[in-house]
C-alpha cells in the first residue's frame, strides 16, 4: 500500500525526470501517475503509471483527483500550457489538494542576442513582415495558421510528429525530437539559408541550442513572450520538486 498518490501533469522533459527521480528515491512508497494530453503518438513514457488525454476541464480534473484519491498535484507542464495550469490551480483549490508548480526558468538574454519580443503568434507573424524571407518556425503544429497569410515566405518547420498537412503554402517539415545539439542547429541554419528564427520563450536546455546558433549567425529571433505562471507554490528545478514531494511522505 503506497503512502502517497501523486499526479504529475506532464508533457515536458522535467516532468519525466521528476517521475524517475521520485520513484528512484521512494520506490513503491509512492503511487505516481504521469498525465499526458495525448498530442504525441510516439510517447516516451516515464517510469510509473501513465494516463493519456484531457480530464474535461477543471471540473473533470477535480472529479479525477477525488475519485483517484490523489494526495499531491505537480504541475510540470510546459510554460505555454496555460489552460492546463489554470485548470490544475482551480481543481486543487476546490479540493484542497496541495499543488506545486515546477516552473522552467526562461532563457537569459545574451547581449549579442537579436530578439524581437512579441506577445502571441499573430504578433510574431506581423514582426516577420520586415525580417527576411526564409523563416525557421519552431512553434507547435496547431500554431502555424497566423504565418499562412504572409506572402512570399518559405518556412522550415520542425515538429515531433507531423500528423496533418500544414497550412503553409511553401514549407519544409523536419520531424525530430530534442534535445538538439548546437552543431545540428548551426547546420540547419546554414543548409536552409535561414534569415530569421521564430521561437516561444520556452526555456529549458533541450531547445536552447537554436538560440545560440541564431546568435552566432547574427540572426534575428522573433521571441514569443511566455505567460505568467499560475499563482501558488513554485519551484524551478526537478530536484526541488522531488524534495517537496519527499517532505510530504
Ligand atoms: P493547454 O492549451 O494548456 O491545454 C489544453 C487542454 O489539453 C487542457 O485543458 C487539457 O484538456 C489537455 N491537457 C493539456 N495538458 C495535459 C496533460 N498533461 N494531461 C492531460 N490533459 C492535458 O496545453 P497545450 O499547450 O496544448 O499543451 C499540451 C501538452 O503538451 C501539455 O501537457 C504540455 O506540457 C505539452 N507541451 C506543450 C508545449 C506548448 O508549447 N504549449 C510545448 C511542449 C509540450 P482538459 O481540459 O480536457 O483536461
Amino acid at each position: 500500500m503506497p503512502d502517497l498518490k501523486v499526479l504529475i501533469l506532464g508533457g515536458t522533459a522535467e516532468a519525466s525526470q521528476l517521475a524517475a527521480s521520485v520513484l528512484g528515491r521512494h520506490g513503491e512508497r509512492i503511487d505516481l501517475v504521469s498525465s499526458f494530453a495525448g498530442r504525441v503518438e510516439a510517447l516516451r513514457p516515464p517510469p510509473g503509471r501513465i494516463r493519456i488525454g484531457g480530464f474535461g476541464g477543471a471540473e473533470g480534473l477535480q472529479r479525477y483527483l477525488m475519485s483517484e484519491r490523489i494526495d499531491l498535484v505537480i504541475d510540470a507542464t510546459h510554460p505555454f500550457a496555460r489552460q492546463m495550469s489554470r485548470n490544475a490551480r482551480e481543481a486543487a483549490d476546490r479540493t484542497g489538494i496541495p499543488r506545486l508548480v515546477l516552473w522552467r526558468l526562461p532563457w537569459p538574454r545574451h547581449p549579442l542576442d537579436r530578439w524581437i519580443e512579441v506577445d502571441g503568434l499573430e504578433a510574431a507573424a506581423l514582426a516577420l513582415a520586415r525580417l527576411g524571407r526564409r523563416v525557421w518556425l519552431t512553434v507547435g503544429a496547431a500554431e502555424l495558421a497566423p504565418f499562412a497569410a504572409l506572402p512570399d515566405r518559405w518556412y522550415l518547420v520542425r515538429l515531433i510528429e507531423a500528423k496533418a498537412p500544414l497550412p503553409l503554402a511553401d514549407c519544409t517539415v523536419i520531424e525530430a525530437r530534442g534535445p538538439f545539439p548546437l552543431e545540428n542547429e548551426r547546420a540547419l541554419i546554414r543548409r536552409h539559408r535561414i534569415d530569421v528564427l521564430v521561437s516561444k520563450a520556452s526555456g529549458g536546455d533541450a531547445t536552447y541550442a537554436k538560440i545560440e546558433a541564431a546568435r552566432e549567425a547574427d540572426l534575428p529571433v522573433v521571441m514569443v513572450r511566455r505567460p505568467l505562471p499560475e499563482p501558488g507554490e513554485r519551484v524551478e528545478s526537478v530536484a526541488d520538486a522531488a524534495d517537496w514531494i519527499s517532505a510530504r511522505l
Side-chain angles (χ1 to χ4, degrees), residues 21 39 86 123:
S21 165
R39 307 268 193 276
R86 189 177 305 142

Side-chain angles (χ1 to χ4, degrees), residues 9-12 35-37 39 51 53-57 77-78 80-84 87 200:
L9 300 167
T12 58
S35 176
F36 295 86
R39 307 268 193 276
R51 65 163 300 289
F55 296 94
T77 55
H78 190 272
F80 280 81
R82 196 178 203 163
Q83 187 61 52
M84 188 68 249
N87 293 351
K200 297 200 266 188

